[in-house]
Amino acid sequence: MTAAVALEAPPKPAPSPAPVWNLRIATGLGGVLLAAMMSGLNDRVGGLALADIAGARGLATDDAHLLSTIYEGAQLAAMPVASWLAGTFSLRRFHLAITGVFLLCAVLLPLAPDLGWMMGLRAVQGLAGGAMIPLLMSAALRFLPPAIKLQGLGFYSLTATFSPNLALWLAATWIDGLGDWRLAYWQVIPAALAVLWAIWWGLPQDPLRLERLREMDLPALLAGPSGLMLLAFALEEGERLDWFHSPLIAGSFTAGLALIALFLVSEWFHPAPFVKLQLMGRRNYGLGMPVFLAMLVVIIAAALLPAVQLGEAQGFRPQQIAPIGLIIALPQLALAPLVSWLLYRRWVDARQVMALGLLLIGLSCWIASGVTGDWMVRQFWLAQALQTLGQPLSVVAFLYLAVGVIGPAEAPYVSGLINTLKTLASVIGAVLVERLLLVSASAHLRGFADRAGMLGDHAPGLFEQVHAQSATLAVADAYRAAALLALLLIPPTLCLTYVAPPAPPSKD
């Protein structure tokens, strides 16, 4: 009798998939997707426009950099707990609240009277924006049935492939094209209004579950976000403050790691955690997550290096560099769902698709490592085209492998885990690229300086050429390192657990 009841239990939720095909649910999910992409663009565009924002507001370069650091840290802090908060206050109610806060901060930021106000608004906006991104995965896993669930995850992958590459074009449009730095913040206003309407009209209103507040892992709530913010500060400001020679960086790094350790211990033993760390015991998480993080570092490098080369060697403004990003960004809108469709074929192994993506990314970086001081945008096209294909193949395939080994009840835990690590990888990737470029350029510059010294009186006239050539060689070194890392990730990728495609929907 018990077995019979258990077998009959699954059909009870059958009415819930029906709204997926309803216009309202589709609109609500579209709003959640737009919000996640809006948050990512707000982060990247604001960072790219910092020099112009600093000039317009009369800020020192270091002070302006703090605006980006604060946003990154706040965004990272919100990610582990966002899905839990949405489950407590309802996805619809919570998303409307954070979107409203995000919108208000965007309106006020250019009007802020001083740096202190700007930093405060940027911190609050970072918390709201960071909470938006995990909710996209949670909503996709909740509302989409297995037959099309990966299509939703394919669109989620756009936060890693589309937004970072579109940001350069947007920043160039607002700053160089229209000449108004305020648009770097105000650009999100139309999108935020659309998100508010789509979520208000489209998502169902779940009941409040305030009893969950009594079960909350309070030590983890206090330790985790604080530790992530301190770690983000240490990573973002380390180069500027000379890393561990600065007591502030050393203290922030130590305290951040200690608080994160406390968070992990508390979450491991808590019966109702924000993030289910036990998932790391499954091969596709314990082995797959490090591969995913390293892959994101390579993707970040591929997004940054062309702009560095064209800016340093050619003196290009962002508007002249913008086509580089568009080559990758725009095709993702079609490629992400196409890769999702491919992974549903019974003859396709997602591990091999991910490995193919990594191979194309590695080949792209290797081709780009042949960069010279004469390269223009056109010379990057082949490398960028390979990135365009490789990024969705690798990212969407990983999401498929990660989601394929969890049950529906574990979806909220997965969202917080993947997004926190994804954002942390983005920060680490940018820091590693910056550090590698500085070290490599300095080494090449010393070599050139030694040779220039042998030229006697002709040496002073070579300084500009030597500086540009050193930057180019550093970019080439960074590309070679990224290519090697991408190729090294292929063997562990092939060792992940196979995930069979879901059965096709019934024709009944």
Side-chain angles (χ1 to χ4, degrees), residues 160-161 288-302 354-355 357-358 361 387 390-399 425 482 485-486 489 493:
T161 58
M289 279 298 183
V291 171
F292 182 55
L293 297 185
M295 178 176 68
L296 289 175
V297 169
V298 176
I299 290 175
I300 289 295
M354 184 174 171
L358 288 168
I361 290 173
Q387 286 284 336
Q391 289 186 16
L393 287 172
S394 55
V395 174
V396 178
F398 170 78
L399 293 173
L485 179 56
L489 296 177
T493 293

Side-chain angles (χ1 to χ4, degrees), residues 1 34 80 239 290 317 383 416 419-420 436 486:
M1 184 65 176
L34 180 59
E239 193 65 53
R317 287 286 297 171
N419 283 282
T420 300
L436 178 58

Side-chain angles (χ1 to χ4, degrees), residues 286-342:
L287 178 60
M289 279 298 183
V291 171
F292 182 55
L293 297 185
M295 178 176 68
L296 289 175
V297 169
V298 176
I299 290 175
I300 289 295
L304 294 176
L305 290 174
V308 171
Q309 167 61 19
L310 293 173
E312 290 283 339
Q314 304 291 356
F316 279 17
R317 287 286 297 171
Q319 194 170 29
Q320 297 170 293
I321 304 171
I324 286 283
L326 293 181
I327 294 171
I328 296 178
L330 295 181
Q332 302 305 315
L333 297 173
L335 288 173
L338 183 61
V339 173
S340 300
W341 174 86
L342 176 68

Side-chain angles (χ1 to χ4, degrees), residues 156-367:
Y156 165 81
S157 72
L158 296 176
T159 62
T161 58
F162 176 77
S163 297
N165 290 294
L166 182 66
L168 182 61
W169 178 79
L170 285 175
T173 299
W174 307 143
I175 303 300
D176 287 353
L178 299 178
D180 193 338
W181 65 271
R182 297 173 299 178
L183 294 175
Y185 295 127
W186 284 346
Q187 64 173 353
V188 302
I189 293 176
L193 292 173
V195 169
L196 285 171
W197 175 81
I199 291 174
W200 171 80
W201 186 74
L203 292 185
Q205 180 60 68
D206 299 327
L208 286 169
R209 299 179 60 191
L210 298 181
E211 70 280 359
R212 284 162 54 95
L213 295 174
R214 294 193 295 269
E215 307 167 355
M216 180 171 56
D217 187 357
L218 186 58
L221 179 64
L222 296 175
S226 301
L228 289 169
M229 289 186 72
L230 287 170
L231 182 60
F233 175 83
L235 291 170
E236 289 280 354
E237 298 295 320
E239 193 65 53
R240 183 176 67 86
L241 298 177
D242 198 19
W243 289 103
F244 295 105
H245 293 100
S246 165
L248 180 59
I249 294 300
S252 297
F253 199 87
T254 302
L257 290 179
L259 288 169
I260 291 172
L262 176 60
F263 170 82
L264 296 176
V265 171
S266 183
E267 287 286 274
W268 183 271
F269 293 104
H270 200 276
F274 299 112
V275 176
K276 192 172 182 180
L277 299 173
Q278 286 79 1
L279 290 172
M280 297 300 290
R282 302 175 192 178
R283 186 186 301 179
N284 283 12
Y285 286 90
L287 178 60
M289 279 298 183
V291 171
F292 182 55
L293 297 185
M295 178 176 68
L296 289 175
V297 169
V298 176
I299 290 175
I300 289 295
L304 294 176
L305 290 174
V308 171
Q309 167 61 19
L310 293 173
E312 290 283 339
Q314 304 291 356
F316 279 17
R317 287 286 297 171
Q319 194 170 29
Q320 297 170 293
I321 304 171
I324 286 283
L326 293 181
I327 294 171
I328 296 178
L330 295 181
Q332 302 305 315
L333 297 173
L335 288 173
L338 183 61
V339 173
S340 300
W341 174 86
L342 176 68
L343 290 170
Y344 273 122
R345 303 309 97 191
R346 308 298 296 181
W347 46 271
V348 172
D349 186 332
R351 299 171 300 179
Q352 296 174 359
V353 173
M354 184 174 171
L356 175 61
L358 288 168
L359 179 62
L360 292 175
I361 290 173
L363 181 60
S364 163
C365 292
W366 186 257
I367 290 173

Side-chain angles (χ1 to χ4, degrees), residues 26-102:
T27 301
L29 288 175
V32 178
L33 170 63
L34 180 59
M37 295 174 63
M38 173 182 71
S39 175
L41 286 171
N42 184 62
D43 175 21
R44 291 280 296 149
V45 173
L48 291 168
L50 272 183
D52 296 273
I53 293 170
R57 296 301 305 262
L59 303 176
T61 303
D62 290 349
D63 291 340
H65 192 265
L66 282 173
L67 292 174
S68 178
T69 298
I70 287 171
Y71 187 91
E72 287 279 4
Q75 185 182 46
L76 188 58
M79 289 186 172
V81 301
S83 295
W84 188 91
L85 291 172
T88 302
F89 298 104
S90 88
L91 175 61
R92 180 174 180 266
R93 186 181 286 110
F94 181 68
H95 210 310
L96 287 173
I98 60 175
T99 304
V101 170
F102 187 88

